[in-house]
Amino acid sequence: MASVFRARALSGCWLVARRPLGRAWARVASTRGPQQTDLPLGADGAAPHANRNPAPPPPLPPLPPPAAGTYTDIRAGTWLERALPRAAGPYLRLARIDRPVGTWLLLWPCVWSTTLAAPPGTLPDARLLGLFAVGALAMRGAGCTINDMWDRDIDRQVERTRGRPLASGELSLAQATVFLGAQLLTGLGVLVQLPPVAIGISLASVPLVVAYPLAKRVTSWPQLVLGLTFNWGALVGWVAVRGDVPLEVLAPLYMGAVCWTLHYDTLYAYQDARDDKRAGVRSSALSLGAEAAGGGGRARSALALFALGATAGVAGAGHAVGLAEPFYAGLALGGAGLLWQAATVPLIDRAACLAAFQQSQRFGLVVAVAIAAGRLAQVA
C-alpha cells in the first residue's frame, strides 16, 4: 500500500508541476537554440550521425598588423604596394622593398671598389654599376628572406619585427621558399654576366651568407659576421674591372667597410636590445651593455672606434691607388658624420637609433663621390 501511495503522490506532483516546468523549459530552449537532439531525422527515421566525420576547424587568421603606437620600422601601404596587386604586398615587405636603405648599404662597397678600379681621370663603368644595383636589390631581398625564415619564431617575440610577413602568418614558409628561389635566380642572372674570376670571388661568400642568420645564436657579435658578409662587394667590384686581387688596396677597403657596418648595425641593434635579451639572442648592443643607459661611455667609445676604422680603411685604399686631394676632403666629411653619430645619438631612444641607421647610407654616398672626385682629379 505504501508503494501505491508513493506512486499516486508522485503522479499528482507531476500533474501539478507539468505546465510550469514545460513553460520554463520552452524559455530555456529558445535561448539555447537547437541542440543535437533537435536535429531532424534522417531519411530512414534515425538521427543523423552529425559527429561521425566532423569538419576540420577553420585555419587561424594571420596575426593583425602592428597596432597604432606599436614600435616598428615596417612601412605597409607604400606607393609601390598600392600600385601592385594586393597579394604582392607581403612579398615586398619580406624583401624589405619598403625599406631600401639596406640595398644601398649593400651596394655602396661595390661602387667604391668599382670606382677605385677605374683608370685615372675616368668614371666607373656604368653598365657594371647597373648590374651591381640589380644584384644588390635581389640579394639583399634574398638575405632578408633567409633571415626571416630562420628567425620567424624569434621575430614574434620582438616588438619591432612581430609584424613581418612570416612572423605574423601573412605568408607561409612554402610561399617564402618559392619567392627566395625567384630572388636567387635573379642574382644568378647578374652573376653570370661578370668575368669568371669575379664569379669565383662572389661564390666564395656563400658560406658567410648561410652563416649570418645563425650568428646571433652562437656569437655575441653577429654584427661582425654581417659586416664580413655585407661588404663582399668591396672585393668583387675591383676584380670585375681589373681581374686581380691587390691586397694593398682591397684589404684596407674591405676592413674599412666592415667597420662601417659595425657602426651602423650596432646603432640598429640598440632598438631591439630589451627584446633580444628576453628572447635569448645576442647582439653587439647587449655586449656593450645596453641595459646601462644605452651602454654609456663604453658604447660610445666603441662606435667612435668603428667610425675611425671605417675612415682609415677607406683612406688606406685610396692612398694605395694614388687618389688626389679631393678624395681626402670628402672622406673627412663622411668620417666626421660617423663620429658625430657616435657622440650624440641617444642610444636608449629607439626612434633615434633607427634614424641614425637610415642616415648611415649617406656615408656610402659621400665616399663614392669622394673616390670619383679623387680619380678625376688625378689628371686635372
Side-chain angles (χ1 to χ4, degrees), residues 246-293:
L247 293 180
E248 68 276 11
V249 177
L250 297 185
L253 181 67
Y254 182 56
M255 295 314 298
V258 170
C259 287
W260 178 43
T261 299
L262 284 168
H263 179 89
Y264 66 67
D265 209 55
T266 295
L267 289 171
Y268 194 69
Y270 269 101
Q271 299 175 92
D272 302 330
R274 180 189 59 193
D275 291 335
D276 283 348
K277 185 177 181 180
R278 184 176 63 248
V281 298
R282 307 176 188 180
S283 74
S284 56
L286 291 175
S287 299
L288 293 171
E291 58 280 322

mmCIF file of all heavy atoms in Angstrom, residues 246-293:
data_model
loop_
_atom_site.group_PDB
_atom_site.id
_atom_site.type_symbol
_atom_site.label_atom_id
_atom_site.label_comp_id
_atom_site.label_asym_id
_atom_site.label_seq_id
_atom_site.Cartn_x
_atom_site.Cartn_y
_atom_site.Cartn_z
ATOM 1 N N PRO A 246 94.716 42.878 -55.560
ATOM 2 C CA PRO A 246 95.814 43.556 -54.867
ATOM 3 C C PRO A 246 95.461 43.788 -53.397
ATOM 4 O O PRO A 246 94.603 44.609 -53.061
ATOM 5 C CB PRO A 246 95.932 44.880 -55.632
ATOM 6 C CG PRO A 246 94.560 45.133 -56.160
ATOM 7 C CD PRO A 246 93.967 43.794 -56.439
ATOM 8 N N LEU A 247 96.114 43.078 -52.506
ATOM 9 C CA LEU A 247 95.771 43.157 -51.088
ATOM 10 C C LEU A 247 96.025 44.539 -50.506
ATOM 11 O O LEU A 247 95.335 44.949 -49.562
ATOM 12 C CB LEU A 247 96.565 42.109 -50.303
ATOM 13 C CG LEU A 247 96.207 40.647 -50.610
ATOM 14 C CD1 LEU A 247 97.057 39.714 -49.765
ATOM 15 C CD2 LEU A 247 94.726 40.389 -50.375
ATOM 16 N N GLU A 248 96.991 45.285 -51.058
ATOM 17 C CA GLU A 248 97.272 46.612 -50.510
ATOM 18 C C GLU A 248 96.104 47.577 -50.746
ATOM 19 O O GLU A 248 95.978 48.591 -50.048
ATOM 20 C CB GLU A 248 98.554 47.182 -51.122
ATOM 21 C CG GLU A 248 98.468 47.536 -52.608
ATOM 22 C CD GLU A 248 98.720 46.349 -53.517
ATOM 23 O OE1 GLU A 248 98.752 45.214 -53.017
ATOM 24 O OE2 GLU A 248 98.891 46.582 -54.735
ATOM 25 N N VAL A 249 95.242 47.249 -51.698
ATOM 26 C CA VAL A 249 94.053 48.068 -51.958
ATOM 27 C C VAL A 249 92.817 47.450 -51.301
ATOM 28 O O VAL A 249 92.080 48.124 -50.573
ATOM 29 C CB VAL A 249 93.805 48.219 -53.477
ATOM 30 C CG1 VAL A 249 92.523 49.021 -53.739
ATOM 31 C CG2 VAL A 249 94.994 48.871 -54.147
ATOM 32 N N LEU A 250 92.598 46.175 -51.539
ATOM 33 C CA LEU A 250 91.335 45.549 -51.145
ATOM 34 C C LEU A 250 91.264 45.211 -49.661
ATOM 35 O O LEU A 250 90.174 45.252 -49.073
ATOM 36 C CB LEU A 250 91.104 44.291 -51.985
ATOM 37 C CG LEU A 250 90.962 44.542 -53.491
ATOM 38 C CD1 LEU A 250 90.614 43.244 -54.209
ATOM 39 C CD2 LEU A 250 89.925 45.605 -53.776
ATOM 40 N N ALA A 251 92.390 44.887 -49.031
ATOM 41 C CA ALA A 251 92.351 44.566 -47.595
ATOM 42 C C ALA A 251 91.908 45.768 -46.762
ATOM 43 O O ALA A 251 90.971 45.648 -45.951
ATOM 44 C CB ALA A 251 93.703 44.041 -47.132
ATOM 45 N N PRO A 252 92.520 46.967 -46.916
ATOM 46 C CA PRO A 252 92.031 48.106 -46.121
ATOM 47 C C PRO A 252 90.622 48.533 -46.504
ATOM 48 O O PRO A 252 89.841 48.951 -45.633
ATOM 49 C CB PRO A 252 93.053 49.207 -46.408
ATOM 50 C CG PRO A 252 93.724 48.819 -47.669
ATOM 51 C CD PRO A 252 93.724 47.322 -47.688
ATOM 52 N N LEU A 253 90.273 48.429 -47.794
ATOM 53 C CA LEU A 253 88.914 48.809 -48.202
ATOM 54 C C LEU A 253 87.887 47.902 -47.552
ATOM 55 O O LEU A 253 86.860 48.372 -47.023
ATOM 56 C CB LEU A 253 88.799 48.749 -49.725
ATOM 57 C CG LEU A 253 87.437 49.151 -50.297
ATOM 58 C CD1 LEU A 253 87.177 50.634 -50.070
ATOM 59 C CD2 LEU A 253 87.349 48.813 -51.784
ATOM 60 N N TYR A 254 88.146 46.603 -47.591
ATOM 61 C CA TYR A 254 87.208 45.632 -47.015
ATOM 62 C C TYR A 254 87.075 45.811 -45.504
ATOM 63 O O TYR A 254 85.969 45.845 -44.961
ATOM 64 C CB TYR A 254 87.680 44.225 -47.359
ATOM 65 C CG TYR A 254 86.790 43.104 -46.868
ATOM 66 C CD1 TYR A 254 85.447 43.042 -47.213
ATOM 67 C CD2 TYR A 254 87.315 42.080 -46.082
ATOM 68 C CE1 TYR A 254 84.643 42.000 -46.782
ATOM 69 C CE2 TYR A 254 86.529 41.030 -45.646
ATOM 70 C CZ TYR A 254 85.190 40.991 -45.997
ATOM 71 O OH TYR A 254 84.391 39.965 -45.562
ATOM 72 N N MET A 255 88.190 45.957 -44.815
ATOM 73 C CA MET A 255 88.120 46.113 -43.360
ATOM 74 C C MET A 255 87.481 47.451 -42.973
ATOM 75 O O MET A 255 86.765 47.541 -41.975
ATOM 76 C CB MET A 255 89.523 45.987 -42.760
ATOM 77 C CG MET A 255 90.146 44.600 -42.939
ATOM 78 S SD MET A 255 88.997 43.221 -42.546
ATOM 79 C CE MET A 255 88.668 43.553 -40.812
ATOM 80 N N GLY A 256 87.720 48.495 -43.763
ATOM 81 C CA GLY A 256 87.040 49.756 -43.502
ATOM 82 C C GLY A 256 85.535 49.627 -43.654
ATOM 83 O O GLY A 256 84.763 50.164 -42.853
ATOM 84 N N ALA A 257 85.119 48.904 -44.685
ATOM 85 C CA ALA A 257 83.692 48.689 -44.890
ATOM 86 C C ALA A 257 83.093 47.862 -43.748
ATOM 87 O O ALA A 257 81.965 48.110 -43.309
ATOM 88 C CB ALA A 257 83.458 47.999 -46.232
ATOM 89 N N VAL A 258 83.828 46.870 -43.251
ATOM 90 C CA VAL A 258 83.349 46.063 -42.120
ATOM 91 C C VAL A 258 83.168 46.945 -40.880
ATOM 92 O O VAL A 258 82.166 46.825 -40.154
ATOM 93 C CB VAL A 258 84.317 44.899 -41.841
ATOM 94 C CG1 VAL A 258 83.955 44.200 -40.531
ATOM 95 C CG2 VAL A 258 84.290 43.894 -42.991
ATOM 96 N N CYS A 259 84.109 47.849 -40.641
ATOM 97 C CA CYS A 259 83.972 48.765 -39.501
ATOM 98 C C CYS A 259 82.753 49.659 -39.668
ATOM 99 O O CYS A 259 82.056 49.977 -38.688
ATOM 100 C CB CYS A 259 85.229 49.623 -39.361
ATOM 101 S SG CYS A 259 86.662 48.736 -38.726
ATOM 102 N N TRP A 260 82.492 50.088 -40.887
ATOM 103 C CA TRP A 260 81.298 50.889 -41.149
ATOM 104 C C TRP A 260 80.036 50.108 -40.783
ATOM 105 O O TRP A 260 79.119 50.634 -40.127
ATOM 106 C CB TRP A 260 81.286 51.285 -42.619
ATOM 107 C CG TRP A 260 80.110 52.070 -43.082
ATOM 108 C CD1 TRP A 260 79.506 53.117 -42.446
ATOM 109 C CD2 TRP A 260 79.378 51.885 -44.304
ATOM 110 N NE1 TRP A 260 78.456 53.604 -43.195
ATOM 111 C CE2 TRP A 260 78.361 52.858 -44.345
ATOM 112 C CE3 TRP A 260 79.512 51.001 -45.371
ATOM 113 C CZ2 TRP A 260 77.461 52.967 -45.414
ATOM 114 C CZ3 TRP A 260 78.629 51.113 -46.442
ATOM 115 C CH2 TRP A 260 77.619 52.082 -46.442
ATOM 116 N N THR A 261 79.976 48.834 -41.159
ATOM 117 C CA THR A 261 78.824 48.004 -40.809
ATOM 118 C C THR A 261 78.705 47.835 -39.291
ATOM 119 O O THR A 261 77.598 47.875 -38.740
ATOM 120 C CB THR A 261 78.922 46.631 -41.489
ATOM 121 O OG1 THR A 261 78.935 46.817 -42.903
ATOM 122 C CG2 THR A 261 77.746 45.745 -41.111
ATOM 123 N N LEU A 262 79.827 47.620 -38.615
ATOM 124 C CA LEU A 262 79.778 47.526 -37.155
ATOM 125 C C LEU A 262 79.184 48.787 -36.545
ATOM 126 O O LEU A 262 78.434 48.727 -35.557
ATOM 127 C CB LEU A 262 81.178 47.281 -36.601
ATOM 128 C CG LEU A 262 81.726 45.858 -36.744
ATOM 129 C CD1 LEU A 262 83.215 45.825 -36.418
ATOM 130 C CD2 LEU A 262 80.969 44.902 -35.826
ATOM 131 N N HIS A 263 79.497 49.927 -37.133
ATOM 132 C CA HIS A 263 78.976 51.196 -36.627
ATOM 133 C C HIS A 263 77.459 51.272 -36.811
ATOM 134 O O HIS A 263 76.713 51.440 -35.842
ATOM 135 C CB HIS A 263 79.665 52.352 -37.350
ATOM 136 C CG HIS A 263 79.186 53.705 -36.933
ATOM 137 N ND1 HIS A 263 79.743 54.402 -35.883
ATOM 138 C CD2 HIS A 263 78.191 54.500 -37.411
ATOM 139 C CE1 HIS A 263 79.133 55.553 -35.742
ATOM 140 N NE2 HIS A 263 78.178 55.637 -36.656
ATOM 141 N N TYR A 264 76.991 51.124 -38.060
ATOM 142 C CA TYR A 264 75.564 51.349 -38.290
ATOM 143 C C TYR A 264 74.701 50.220 -37.752
ATOM 144 O O TYR A 264 73.573 50.448 -37.306
ATOM 145 C CB TYR A 264 75.261 51.646 -39.757
ATOM 146 C CG TYR A 264 75.483 50.563 -40.777
ATOM 147 C CD1 TYR A 264 74.722 49.389 -40.809
ATOM 148 C CD2 TYR A 264 76.425 50.738 -41.798
ATOM 149 C CE1 TYR A 264 74.913 48.431 -41.781
ATOM 150 C CE2 TYR A 264 76.621 49.776 -42.780
ATOM 151 C CZ TYR A 264 75.861 48.627 -42.766
ATOM 152 O OH TYR A 264 76.048 47.674 -43.747
ATOM 153 N N ASP A 265 75.200 48.981 -37.751
ATOM 154 C CA ASP A 265 74.336 47.894 -37.285
ATOM 155 C C ASP A 265 74.317 47.790 -35.767
ATOM 156 O O ASP A 265 73.377 47.225 -35.207
ATOM 157 C CB ASP A 265 74.758 46.566 -37.910
ATOM 158 C CG ASP A 265 73.568 45.625 -38.058
ATOM 159 O OD1 ASP A 265 72.575 46.046 -38.681
ATOM 160 O OD2 ASP A 265 73.615 44.498 -37.553
ATOM 161 N N THR A 266 75.327 48.320 -35.100
ATOM 162 C CA THR A 266 75.239 48.409 -33.640
ATOM 163 C C THR A 266 74.182 49.430 -33.243
ATOM 164 O O THR A 266 73.391 49.192 -32.316
ATOM 165 C CB THR A 266 76.606 48.789 -33.046
ATOM 166 O OG1 THR A 266 77.536 47.725 -33.305
ATOM 167 C CG2 THR A 266 76.513 49.005 -31.545
ATOM 168 N N LEU A 267 74.147 50.561 -33.939
ATOM 169 C CA LEU A 267 73.068 51.523 -33.700
ATOM 170 C C LEU A 267 71.709 50.869 -33.930
ATOM 171 O O LEU A 267 70.760 51.059 -33.163
ATOM 172 C CB LEU A 267 73.231 52.732 -34.613
ATOM 173 C CG LEU A 267 74.396 53.677 -34.297
ATOM 174 C CD1 LEU A 267 74.565 54.707 -35.411
ATOM 175 C CD2 LEU A 267 74.176 54.382 -32.959
ATOM 176 N N TYR A 268 71.614 50.084 -34.987
ATOM 177 C CA TYR A 268 70.368 49.392 -35.304
ATOM 178 C C TYR A 268 70.000 48.400 -34.209
ATOM 179 O O TYR A 268 68.824 48.258 -33.844
ATOM 180 C CB TYR A 268 70.547 48.666 -36.636
ATOM 181 C CG TYR A 268 69.274 48.174 -37.282
ATOM 182 C CD1 TYR A 268 68.345 49.063 -37.799
ATOM 183 C CD2 TYR A 268 69.020 46.809 -37.406
ATOM 184 C CE1 TYR A 268 67.194 48.615 -38.424
ATOM 185 C CE2 TYR A 268 67.869 46.352 -38.025
ATOM 186 C CZ TYR A 268 66.960 47.258 -38.541
ATOM 187 O OH TYR A 268 65.813 46.802 -39.148
ATOM 188 N N ALA A 269 71.001 47.723 -33.650
ATOM 189 C CA ALA A 269 70.745 46.703 -32.632
ATOM 190 C C ALA A 269 70.215 47.295 -31.335
ATOM 191 O O ALA A 269 69.528 46.595 -30.582
ATOM 192 C CB ALA A 269 72.028 45.912 -32.355
ATOM 193 N N TYR A 270 70.523 48.553 -31.078
ATOM 194 C CA TYR A 270 70.032 49.156 -29.840
ATOM 195 C C TYR A 270 68.518 49.274 -29.811
ATOM 196 O O TYR A 270 67.923 49.377 -28.736
ATOM 197 C CB TYR A 270 70.685 50.531 -29.610
ATOM 198 C CG TYR A 270 71.942 50.424 -28.790
ATOM 199 C CD1 TYR A 270 73.196 50.454 -29.386
ATOM 200 C CD2 TYR A 270 71.880 50.254 -27.413
ATOM 201 C CE1 TYR A 270 74.349 50.326 -28.639
ATOM 202 C CE2 TYR A 270 73.027 50.121 -26.655
ATOM 203 C CZ TYR A 270 74.260 50.151 -27.278
ATOM 204 O OH TYR A 270 75.408 50.005 -26.529
ATOM 205 N N GLN A 271 67.861 49.256 -30.974
ATOM 206 C CA GLN A 271 66.400 49.284 -30.989
ATOM 207 C C GLN A 271 65.801 48.072 -30.281
ATOM 208 O O GLN A 271 64.771 48.177 -29.617
ATOM 209 C CB GLN A 271 65.885 49.273 -32.427
ATOM 210 C CG GLN A 271 66.297 50.428 -33.293
ATOM 211 C CD GLN A 271 65.807 50.197 -34.707
ATOM 212 O OE1 GLN A 271 64.715 50.630 -35.066
ATOM 213 N NE2 GLN A 271 66.585 49.491 -35.485
ATOM 214 N N ASP A 272 66.435 46.916 -30.458
ATOM 215 C CA ASP A 272 65.859 45.649 -30.014
ATOM 216 C C ASP A 272 66.547 45.079 -28.781
ATOM 217 O O ASP A 272 66.295 43.920 -28.432
ATOM 218 C CB ASP A 272 65.952 44.612 -31.145
ATOM 219 C CG ASP A 272 65.255 45.065 -32.410
ATOM 220 O OD1 ASP A 272 64.280 45.821 -32.307
ATOM 221 O OD2 ASP A 272 65.714 44.678 -33.504
ATOM 222 N N ALA A 273 67.400 45.859 -28.129
ATOM 223 C CA ALA A 273 68.219 45.298 -27.056
ATOM 224 C C ALA A 273 67.368 44.645 -25.970
ATOM 225 O O ALA A 273 67.663 43.530 -25.512
ATOM 226 C CB ALA A 273 69.101 46.388 -26.459
ATOM 227 N N ARG A 274 66.298 45.302 -25.567
ATOM 228 C CA ARG A 274 65.451 44.745 -24.496
ATOM 229 C C ARG A 274 64.801 43.440 -24.932
ATOM 230 O O ARG A 274 64.826 42.435 -24.211
ATOM 231 C CB ARG A 274 64.381 45.773 -24.127
ATOM 232 C CG ARG A 274 63.425 45.320 -23.020
ATOM 233 C CD ARG A 274 62.283 46.300 -22.877
ATOM 234 N NE ARG A 274 61.545 46.418 -24.132
ATOM 235 C CZ ARG A 274 60.660 47.373 -24.390
ATOM 236 N NH1 ARG A 274 60.438 48.321 -23.495
ATOM 237 N NH2 ARG A 274 60.012 47.389 -25.542
ATOM 238 N N ASP A 275 64.215 43.431 -26.143
ATOM 239 C CA ASP A 275 63.542 42.225 -26.627
ATOM 240 C C ASP A 275 64.536 41.112 -26.947
ATOM 241 O O ASP A 275 64.237 39.933 -26.728
ATOM 242 C CB ASP A 275 62.716 42.554 -27.872
ATOM 243 C CG ASP A 275 61.516 43.439 -27.555
ATOM 244 O OD1 ASP A 275 61.051 43.400 -26.404
ATOM 245 O OD2 ASP A 275 61.059 44.166 -28.449
ATOM 246 N N ASP A 276 65.716 41.466 -27.482
ATOM 247 C CA ASP A 276 66.722 40.455 -27.781
ATOM 248 C C ASP A 276 67.167 39.735 -26.511
ATOM 249 O O ASP A 276 67.354 38.508 -26.511
ATOM 250 C CB ASP A 276 67.940 41.097 -28.452
ATOM 251 C CG ASP A 276 67.689 41.423 -29.911
ATOM 252 O OD1 ASP A 276 66.675 40.955 -30.457
ATOM 253 O OD2 ASP A 276 68.498 42.165 -30.505
ATOM 254 N N LYS A 277 67.331 40.490 -25.440
ATOM 255 C CA LYS A 277 67.752 39.868 -24.174
ATOM 256 C C LYS A 277 66.698 38.892 -23.675
ATOM 257 O O LYS A 277 67.021 37.785 -23.220
ATOM 258 C CB LYS A 277 68.022 40.953 -23.129
ATOM 259 C CG LYS A 277 68.570 40.409 -21.824
ATOM 260 C CD LYS A 277 68.892 41.541 -20.851
ATOM 261 C CE LYS A 277 69.470 40.985 -19.555
ATOM 262 N NZ LYS A 277 69.791 42.066 -18.599
ATOM 263 N N ARG A 278 65.439 39.278 -23.784
ATOM 264 C CA ARG A 278 64.362 38.398 -23.329
ATOM 265 C C ARG A 278 64.245 37.155 -24.213
ATOM 266 O O ARG A 278 63.950 36.065 -23.732
ATOM 267 C CB ARG A 278 63.042 39.179 -23.331
ATOM 268 C CG ARG A 278 61.866 38.372 -22.776
ATOM 269 C CD ARG A 278 60.587 39.187 -22.699
ATOM 270 N NE ARG A 278 60.138 39.610 -24.014
ATOM 271 C CZ ARG A 278 60.130 40.857 -24.442
ATOM 272 N NH1 ARG A 278 60.565 41.827 -23.652
ATOM 273 N NH2 ARG A 278 59.697 41.165 -25.648
ATOM 274 N N ALA A 279 64.493 37.324 -25.529
ATOM 275 C CA ALA A 279 64.370 36.195 -26.457
ATOM 276 C C ALA A 279 65.595 35.292 -26.456
ATOM 277 O O ALA A 279 65.570 34.225 -27.059
ATOM 278 C CB ALA A 279 64.125 36.712 -27.874
ATOM 279 N N GLY A 280 66.686 35.723 -25.812
ATOM 280 C CA GLY A 280 67.876 34.887 -25.729
ATOM 281 C C GLY A 280 68.789 34.962 -26.928
ATOM 282 O O GLY A 280 69.598 34.059 -27.133
ATOM 283 N N VAL A 281 68.673 36.020 -27.736
ATOM 284 C CA VAL A 281 69.584 36.203 -28.859
ATOM 285 C C VAL A 281 70.609 37.277 -28.512
ATOM 286 O O VAL A 281 70.417 38.065 -27.590
ATOM 287 C CB VAL A 281 68.829 36.573 -30.157
ATOM 288 C CG1 VAL A 281 67.898 35.453 -30.555
ATOM 289 C CG2 VAL A 281 68.050 37.871 -29.987
ATOM 290 N N ARG A 282 71.699 37.322 -29.265
ATOM 291 C CA ARG A 282 72.839 38.162 -28.898
ATOM 292 C C ARG A 282 73.023 39.279 -29.911
ATOM 293 O O ARG A 282 72.570 39.196 -31.051
ATOM 294 C CB ARG A 282 74.103 37.302 -28.830
ATOM 295 C CG ARG A 282 73.961 36.075 -27.945
ATOM 296 C CD ARG A 282 75.203 35.206 -27.996
ATOM 297 N NE ARG A 282 75.011 33.938 -27.310
ATOM 298 C CZ ARG A 282 75.945 33.008 -27.208
ATOM 299 N NH1 ARG A 282 77.140 33.197 -27.746
ATOM 300 N NH2 ARG A 282 75.707 31.882 -26.571
ATOM 301 N N SER A 283 73.717 40.326 -29.479
ATOM 302 C CA SER A 283 74.000 41.450 -30.364
ATOM 303 C C SER A 283 75.140 42.260 -29.781
ATOM 304 O O SER A 283 75.486 42.140 -28.599
ATOM 305 C CB SER A 283 72.760 42.338 -30.536
ATOM 306 O OG SER A 283 72.517 43.105 -29.365
ATOM 307 N N SER A 284 75.720 43.110 -30.633
ATOM 308 C CA SER A 284 76.789 43.991 -30.148
ATOM 309 C C SER A 284 76.259 44.977 -29.124
ATOM 310 O O SER A 284 76.987 45.372 -28.206
ATOM 311 C CB SER A 284 77.407 44.734 -31.338
ATOM 312 O OG SER A 284 76.422 45.440 -32.065
ATOM 313 N N ALA A 285 74.980 45.383 -29.249
ATOM 314 C CA ALA A 285 74.401 46.306 -28.269
ATOM 315 C C ALA A 285 74.389 45.676 -26.883
ATOM 316 O O ALA A 285 74.750 46.317 -25.888
ATOM 317 C CB ALA A 285 72.993 46.700 -28.696
ATOM 318 N N LEU A 286 73.990 44.414 -26.781
ATOM 319 C CA LEU A 286 73.993 43.736 -25.486
ATOM 320 C C LEU A 286 75.420 43.525 -24.987
ATOM 321 O O LEU A 286 75.686 43.618 -23.789
ATOM 322 C CB LEU A 286 73.268 42.396 -25.601
ATOM 323 C CG LEU A 286 71.752 42.468 -25.834
ATOM 324 C CD1 LEU A 286 71.184 41.070 -26.041
ATOM 325 C CD2 LEU A 286 71.065 43.163 -24.673
ATOM 326 N N SER A 287 76.349 43.247 -25.894
ATOM 327 C CA SER A 287 77.746 43.053 -25.493
ATOM 328 C C SER A 287 78.345 44.326 -24.911
ATOM 329 O O SER A 287 79.202 44.271 -24.022
ATOM 330 C CB SER A 287 78.579 42.591 -26.691
ATOM 331 O OG SER A 287 78.108 41.356 -27.184
ATOM 332 N N LEU A 288 77.869 45.469 -25.407
ATOM 333 C CA LEU A 288 78.391 46.748 -24.927
ATOM 334 C C LEU A 288 77.637 47.271 -23.718
ATOM 335 O O LEU A 288 77.945 48.348 -23.219
ATOM 336 C CB LEU A 288 78.342 47.780 -26.059
ATOM 337 C CG LEU A 288 79.284 47.492 -27.229
ATOM 338 C CD1 LEU A 288 78.998 48.436 -28.390
ATOM 339 C CD2 LEU A 288 80.739 47.614 -26.795
ATOM 340 N N GLY A 289 76.639 46.526 -23.247
ATOM 341 C CA GLY A 289 75.940 46.924 -22.032
ATOM 342 C C GLY A 289 74.742 47.794 -22.300
ATOM 343 O O GLY A 289 74.671 48.928 -21.836
ATOM 344 N N ALA A 290 73.779 47.266 -23.068
ATOM 345 C CA ALA A 290 72.631 48.070 -23.462
ATOM 346 C C ALA A 290 71.757 48.460 -22.283
ATOM 347 O O ALA A 290 71.118 49.505 -22.291
ATOM 348 C CB ALA A 290 71.785 47.301 -24.477
ATOM 349 N N GLU A 291 71.735 47.626 -21.234
ATOM 350 C CA GLU A 291 70.834 47.927 -20.132
ATOM 351 C C GLU A 291 71.333 49.060 -19.249
ATOM 352 O O GLU A 291 70.595 49.601 -18.441
ATOM 353 C CB GLU A 291 70.593 46.678 -19.279
ATOM 354 C CG GLU A 291 71.845 46.031 -18.688
ATOM 355 C CD GLU A 291 72.583 45.163 -19.687
ATOM 356 O OE1 GLU A 291 71.957 44.485 -20.492
ATOM 357 O OE2 GLU A 291 73.825 45.202 -19.638
ATOM 358 N N ALA A 292 72.574 49.459 -19.407
ATOM 359 C CA ALA A 292 73.128 50.534 -18.573
ATOM 360 C C ALA A 292 73.050 51.864 -19.327
ATOM 361 O O ALA A 292 74.016 52.360 -19.872
ATOM 362 C CB ALA A 292 74.577 50.224 -18.213
ATOM 363 N N ALA A 293 71.833 52.434 -19.385
ATOM 364 C CA ALA A 293 71.606 53.730 -20.031
ATOM 365 C C ALA A 293 72.170 53.757 -21.446
ATOM 366 O O ALA A 293 72.855 54.686 -21.857
ATOM 367 C CB ALA A 293 72.209 54.847 -19.199
#
